[in-house]
């Protein structure tokens, strides 16, 4: 018997970057133990995404589930605690959930090992090819690989933009693809829209700087000629 998926909405809020909304809507009644553990992981990962590393590190103790230990390691890594990525990976390899594989994809891309990231993505595609998270991981890898893959990543973000509310993550995803394809004007429009949603988002600000450098150079070239 497939029970209704009580965490469906919460999960999609998190995947698409609506972290505060995920935290605010995390009080889901009637969860089994497994679902409750997953809910906790989503809440803690939302706090990590919002930069509340110390809260996560102090709240998750050694008796917590493996999935939460992985979140704690991520928080320790991001807060500048010298626990290596390889240490975090040891903890995430055992778990077979899409969430953990997606975390691995992100970690491997950061380590510039897109070969490993691709293996993780293939496992995700075998589990559930149409899953929001599998599609996102696919887009991240496409961007990391670059070249002709950028177009595919752009289409994935475009698809999200049509199905779900526009979040900063989706806007940034589209903007990064646009920049790779040389469409800096389109990227700027998308990033300004993302900035409207969250004026402090570090990813949006970083992408805007890159975008403006290119636009600046471009405008400068025209006036100089």
């Amino acid at each position: 018997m497939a029970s209704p998926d009580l965490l469906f909405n919460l999960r999609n809020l998190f995947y698409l970057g609506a972290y505060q909304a995920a935290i605010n809507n995390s009080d889901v009644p009637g969860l089994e133990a497994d679902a409750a553990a997953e809910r906790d992981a989503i809440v803690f990962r939302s706090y990590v995404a919002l930069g509340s590393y110390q809260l996560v590190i102090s709240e998750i103790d050694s008796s917590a589930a493996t999935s939460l230990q992985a979140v704690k390691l991520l928080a320790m890594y991001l807060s500048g605690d010298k626990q290596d990525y390889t240490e975090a990976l040891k903890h995430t390899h055992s778990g077979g959930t899409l969430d953990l594989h997606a975390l691995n994809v992100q970690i491997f891309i950061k380590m510039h090992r897109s070969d490993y990231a691709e293996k993780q993505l293939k496992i995700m595609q075998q589990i559930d090819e149409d899953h929001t998270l599998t599609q996102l991981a696919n887009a991240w890898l496409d961007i990391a690989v670059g070249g002709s893959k950028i177009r595919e990543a752009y289409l994935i973000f475009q698809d999200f933009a049509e199905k779900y509310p526009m979040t900063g993550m989706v806007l940034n995803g589209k903007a990064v693809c646009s920049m790779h394809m040389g469409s800096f004007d389109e990227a700027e429009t998308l990033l300004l829209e993302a900035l409207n949603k969250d004026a402090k988002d570090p990813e949006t600000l970083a992408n805007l700087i890159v975008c403006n450098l290119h636009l600046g150079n471009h405008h400068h070239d025209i006036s100089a000629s």
Side-chain angles (χ1 to χ4, degrees):
M1 282 291 291
S3 57
D5 185 353
L6 299 172
L7 295 177
F8 184 79
N9 281 337
L10 187 62
R11 230 179 268 123
N12 278 326
L13 286 173
F14 171 73
Y15 296 151
L16 296 172
Y19 303 118
Q20 194 58 56
I23 293 166
N24 297 349
N25 292 290
S26 62
D27 196 7
V28 182
L31 295 180
E32 308 273 316
D34 283 356
E38 186 188 345
R39 185 265 317 272
D40 293 346
I42 294 171
V43 170
F44 282 124
R45 285 183 65 188
S46 298
Y47 278 118
V48 167
L50 293 170
S52 308
Y53 309 129
Q54 292 313 321
L55 177 142
V56 173
I57 293 165
S58 59
E59 292 271 321
I60 297 175
D61 62 21
S62 53
S63 64
T66 312
S67 56
L68 293 185
Q69 297 299 338
V71 179
K72 183 175 186 172
L73 281 164
L74 184 64
M76 289 167 92
Y77 176 82
L78 292 169
S79 69
D81 202 325
K82 291 288 167 272
Q83 199 139 16
D84 201 354
Y85 259 155
T86 45
E87 190 58 34
L89 283 172
K90 275 184 208 152
H91 289 265
T92 58
H93 260 320
S94 53
T97 67
L98 281 171
D99 272 295
L100 288 180
H101 289 303
L103 199 55
N104 289 346
V105 169
Q106 283 179 298
I107 289 171
F108 285 131
I109 289 172
K110 283 203 175 84
M111 290 167 72
H112 302 291
R113 290 306 305 256
S114 44
D115 50 337
Y116 287 143
E118 192 171 353
K119 284 186 183 129
Q120 293 289 317
L121 177 62
K122 285 207 159 74
I123 298 169
M124 293 175 74
Q125 287 169 334
Q126 282 161 2
I127 299 171
D128 183 353
E129 193 161 9
D130 298 325
H131 196 284
T132 302
L133 209 45
T134 308
Q135 296 287 328
L136 268 178
N138 199 343
W140 297 328
L141 186 60
D142 284 342
I143 289 171
V145 172
S148 59
K149 289 283 187 191
I150 297 291
R151 181 93 197 127
E152 291 172 34
Y154 181 85
L155 294 173
I156 292 173
F157 287 116
Q158 181 62 39
D159 189 47
F160 282 138
E162 286 163 12
K163 284 188 197 159
Y164 296 104
M166 271 295 213
T167 61
M169 183 198 286
V170 174
L171 289 162
N172 271 288
K174 279 183 74 174
V176 168
C177 295
S178 299
M179 288 196 281
H180 278 290
M181 295 188 290
S183 316
F184 290 97
D185 288 324
E186 183 187 354
E188 187 180 37
T189 307
L190 291 162
L191 291 168
L192 291 173
E193 191 181 334
L195 204 62
N196 265 335
K197 293 186 183 299
D198 178 3
K200 292 197 198 70
D201 180 48
E203 199 180 341
T204 305
L205 295 168
N207 286 332
L208 257 176
I209 291 167
V210 175
C211 189
N212 284 326
L213 281 171
H214 279 271
L215 285 170
N217 294 345
H218 184 62
H219 295 231
H220 180 70
D221 290 346
I222 294 169
S223 59
S225 56

